Amino acid sequence: MDKQSARSTGLRNRASLSIEDRAEFSHQIFLHVLPELEQADIISCFVSMRDEVSTAEILDWCFSHQKTVAVPKTLKHTLEFHVI
């Protein structure tokens, strides 16, 4: 399978997740990264969109624990991080 086919298959599989499964996966990811979040002062995290797993729980936790959060933004062919 070439890269494009693999990407298309992955995106289709992700889009087919139920809301309940996506919420559970999102929570499990939060629990998995929580020990790292607790020790870090600056957190880099994407802001989830559409059918991606949700990063809301991670971001909410970071804000409530006064962590500095930087999110990526693509400008032309450059990836920049911005503190939110």
Side-chain angles (χ1 to χ4, degrees), residues 15-80:
S16 71
L17 288 174
S18 70
I19 293 170
E20 297 80 12
D21 284 346
R22 187 172 294 111
E24 179 59 25
F25 291 144
S26 300
H27 181 66
Q28 289 302 316
I29 290 168
F30 167 72
L31 293 176
H32 182 76
V33 300
L34 183 57
E36 302 298 327
L37 297 175
E38 291 173 326
Q39 294 190 14
D41 294 321
I42 301 171
I43 310 296
S44 175
C45 184
F46 70 95
V47 177
S48 54
M49 298 172 56
R50 296 179 296 278
D51 60 5
E52 296 173 333
V53 294
S54 175
T55 56
E57 189 173 11
I58 294 170
L59 294 171
D60 289 345
W61 186 93
C62 289
F63 296 141
S64 69
H65 289 81
Q66 291 76 49
K67 302 292 183 173
T68 300
V69 177
V71 296
K73 182 176 182 181
T74 304
L75 301 172
K76 296 186 181 178
H77 300 289
T78 304
L79 184 64
E80 294 183 359

